[in-house]
Every structure is written in C-alpha cells, then in structure tokens.
Amino acid sequence: MAKIDRLALIGLGLIGGSLSLALKKNGLVGEVVGYSRQAQTRLRACELGLIDRSVDSVAEAVRGADVVFIATPVQAMAGVFQAMAASLAPHALVTDGGSVKGSVVAAAKAALSPAQWAQFVPGHPIAGTERSGPDAAFASLFINHRVILTPLPENSAALVTRAVALWTSVGAVVEQMDVQHHDHVLAATSHLPHLAAFGLVSALSRLEERYEVFRYAAGGFRDFTRIASSDPLMWRDICVANRDELLPMLDHYLDELLHLRRLIDASDYAGVEHLFCDAKAARDALYQPSVAHPS
Ligand code: NAP
C-alpha cells in the first residue's frame, strides 16, 4: 500500500488506536491526527503514541487527511459525519470500524453530499477484545482476522481497492458483502452471543443466592460470560442499532431454549441428547484446527 500522508482518527479506543499502531509499526503512515470526545482520552492517546497530534474537533481532524477512519460507538457516527462534511478533502477515503453497517450507512447518507457519500467505504473488523479505551489498543489486533467491507454502489473500484489495501497492510483478511447481509450474519454470530452473555449474568446477579452461585462459578461460566465484560454503552448501541436483524435472531434462540425446556420437563433423554449431539457436532466442526476462522 502507498504510504498514507495523513490519517485522521476519530475515536481513540481499542479499534482506532490499534489500526493506528499497526500502520505506524509498518511505516505506512506519515502523521496521525486524532479526535475523541474527551480531552483526557486525546491526551492519553498522545502519551501512548496512538496519534501524533490531537485536535479539538472532527472538522479539524479530517481537514487535509488522505484517509479518515471512524472508530466511535455506532450511535455517535451520525454526529461525526455531520461534523466532517464541511472540511473533507475530495480525494480522502472515509471508512469506519462500526459493528453495525445499516445504521451507519444511513447516517452517512443523511449527512454527506452525494460526492462525499461516494467517498465512504463502510467496514467492520471482526477482531476485538472485551477491553476498551486507548490503553486497550495493540498493533497486532488485526493480524489474521477478517475485516468485512460493505462497499456502496457509488464507490469507485479504485476507492474500494484503497480500503482493501488499508486492511491487508495491517495483516487482516478482507471480505466483501452487502450491508444488510452483514447485519444479518453479525446479529447471529456476534450480537446475539453478547446479548446471551449479558442476559445470563444479569439474570444470575438478581438471584437472592447470587453470592453463592458466583462463588461456585467454574471455567465454563467464565468462558461463556467473558464477553459480558465488554463495554455496556458500545453494546447497547450495537444491539439497538441492529434490532431489525437481532430481534428475529433472538426469537429463534428463545424458541430453541423453550424447545429444550419442554424436552427436559418431559424427561425426554433421547430428545435432549439428540439436540446436544447436534450442537456439539456443529461446534466441533467449526473449530477444527485445519479450518481458518475469525475470532
Ligand atoms: P472504545 O475502545 O470504547 O473507543 C471508542 C472511542 O470513541 C473512545 O475513544 C471514545 O472517546 C470515542 N467516542 C465516543 N463517543 C464519541 C463522539 N461522540 N465523538 C468522538 N469520539 C467519541 O471502542 P472500540 O472497541 O474501539 O469500538 C469502536 C468501534 O468499533 C465501535 O463502533 C464498535 O462497534 C466497533 N468494533 C468494536 C469491536 C470490539 O470488540 N471492541 C470489534 C469490532 C468493531 P472518549 O473517551 O473521548 O469518550
């Protein structure tokens, strides 16, 4: 990839900070100018070397930038698009890391001119941890992880090629799909599991005997609930923004749990075994060592 002269980073946490660190490590960026809502976050991002210079507004950050990367919570992106419209350079590639694509694309369309809209190539790295903020960022986050781009019909082939090159330059494996398909698939594989983990921990924490329950929590509980330690505000935004895809997926899961409940209530050993065997076979096949998967 040709070196980026100036990268504007909007949102200086795990995803934005990690992209910047990876580009810097690979010598692929001249200057990184960063904006984040809170002054203390901007300061910390400078201290950690995630950015070279912090500015006080989105407009200032994007002025003169060759690439603009938006890594705020998805609900904040509408305001970011509005704030950048007046100062975006016509040659700039604008892309993002938001976990939901439909709402972000709609926000961009509402805020940007048609020409600027064509500069936006939406994206979503399928990589992350349950940590957030500038201190969570690390340069190797995207290596061998998938990044899904959901290009718009208005994007030029050259611009999409630039977005692909941006991610492959930091070790990611890029795939492309349409916006609605992305939100459907991610509702199943990412948003529903987070809902299930938050929901389980919430339910148990309301039990009268919760202290005893948690005292005896073992490895399985820890594995299943790790993602309930993720940032609540970020996941609130994702779940509500993707409700059209998430709610049918949640209903499907609830139907399965109710089916399982009926089998257990009826002491249907064969039925329970059958369901568990099917689930184990599906899970085992998914994580065979020879098959490459995203996290
Ligand atoms: P994060 O660590 O919490 O970072 C988010 C950053 O956005 C923070 O620096 C926060 O700054 C800033 N911010 C919040 N509201 C803002 C606003 N209105 N204007 C400007 N900056 C604002 O979150 P993250 O994990 O990097 O996630 C960023 C994006 O990546 C999200 O859209 C998320 O859906 C997506 N994503 C996350 C993961 C994951 O596993 N974490 C994976 C893939 C994609 P302040 O401290 O200044 O408020």
Side-chain angles (χ1 to χ4, degrees):
M1 183 185 75
K3 190 168 174 175
I4 300 166
D5 285 336
R6 185 183 294 175
L7 169 70
L9 206 56
I10 315 295
L12 307 174
L14 170 69
I15 299 296
S18 295
L19 180 64
S20 177
L21 284 179
L23 290 168
K24 280 168 167 272
K25 189 173 176 203
N26 296 344
L28 291 169
V29 63
E31 185 187 31
V32 183
V33 181
Y35 172 75
S36 191
R37 185 180 44 174
Q38 301 188 72
Q40 68 195 45
T41 304
R42 302 198 289 267
L43 184 65
R44 187 67 184 140
C46 282
E47 285 169 359
L48 292 166
L50 307 185
I51 56 175
D52 301 307
R53 185 159 63 87
S54 87
V55 290
D56 295 337
S57 69
V58 172
E60 219 180 317
V62 307
R63 189 167 293 121
D66 309 293
V67 175
V68 176
F69 183 63
I70 308 167
T72 65
V74 288
Q75 210 59 16
M77 289 190 187
V80 172
F81 287 119
Q82 285 158 16
M84 76 169 59
S87 53
L88 187 64
H91 73 282
L93 161 68
V94 181
T95 187
D96 77 306
S99 304
V100 180
K101 297 276 54 91
S103 64
V104 172
V105 166
K109 190 161 196 175
L112 302 175
S113 71
Q116 291 172 331
W117 157 255
Q119 291 174 244
F120 177 48
V121 182
H124 176 202
I126 313 297
T129 72
E130 66 278 19
R131 298 187 62 232
S132 58
D135 287 275
F138 58 101
S140 60
L141 175 61
F142 305 112
I143 294 174
N144 294 330
H145 283 263
R146 289 197 170 100
V147 169
I148 301 173
L149 295 179
T150 59
L152 308 171
E154 292 81 357
N155 295 146
S156 68
L159 197 74
V160 176
T161 301
R162 280 172 68 193
V164 171
L166 174 72
W167 285 110
T168 51
S169 77
V170 296
V173 179
V174 178
E175 295 190 13
Q176 297 184 29
M177 61 178 69
D178 73 47
V179 168
Q180 197 267 332
H181 189 60
H182 168 279
D183 286 357
H184 180 71
V185 170
L186 270 292
T189 57
S190 174
H191 309 166
L192 180 60
H194 278 81
L195 209 61
F198 281 122
L200 175 67
V201 178
S202 171
L204 296 188
S205 68
R206 287 176 214 280
L207 292 173
E208 217 169 283
E209 67 275 30
R210 59 188 172 279
Y211 297 113
E212 196 185 8
V213 166
F214 286 138
R215 175 139 39 101
Y216 293 109
F221 182 81
R222 193 187 173 95
D223 289 348
F224 186 83
T225 60
R226 176 182 63 82
I227 52 180
S229 289
S230 304
D231 182 32
L233 293 187
M234 187 176 92
W235 282 96
R236 174 203 67 182
D237 280 9
I238 291 169
C239 291
V240 178
N242 200 26
R243 63 186 169 279
D244 289 350
E245 297 295 338
L246 180 56
L247 291 181
M249 210 57 83
L250 178 61
D251 290 341
H252 178 63
Y253 182 47
L254 292 173
D255 285 347
E256 190 73 4
L257 290 179
L258 286 174
H259 174 57
L260 195 49
R261 188 190 190 288
R262 280 191 295 273
L263 294 175
I264 290 172
D265 189 36
S267 298
D268 184 346
Y269 285 90
V272 175
E273 182 183 338
H274 189 70
L275 192 152
F276 284 2
C277 282
D278 282 355
K280 175 174 164 45
R283 213 271 181 189
D284 289 351
L286 192 60
Y287 292 103
Q288 270 171 7
S290 57
V291 184
H293 292 287
S295 74

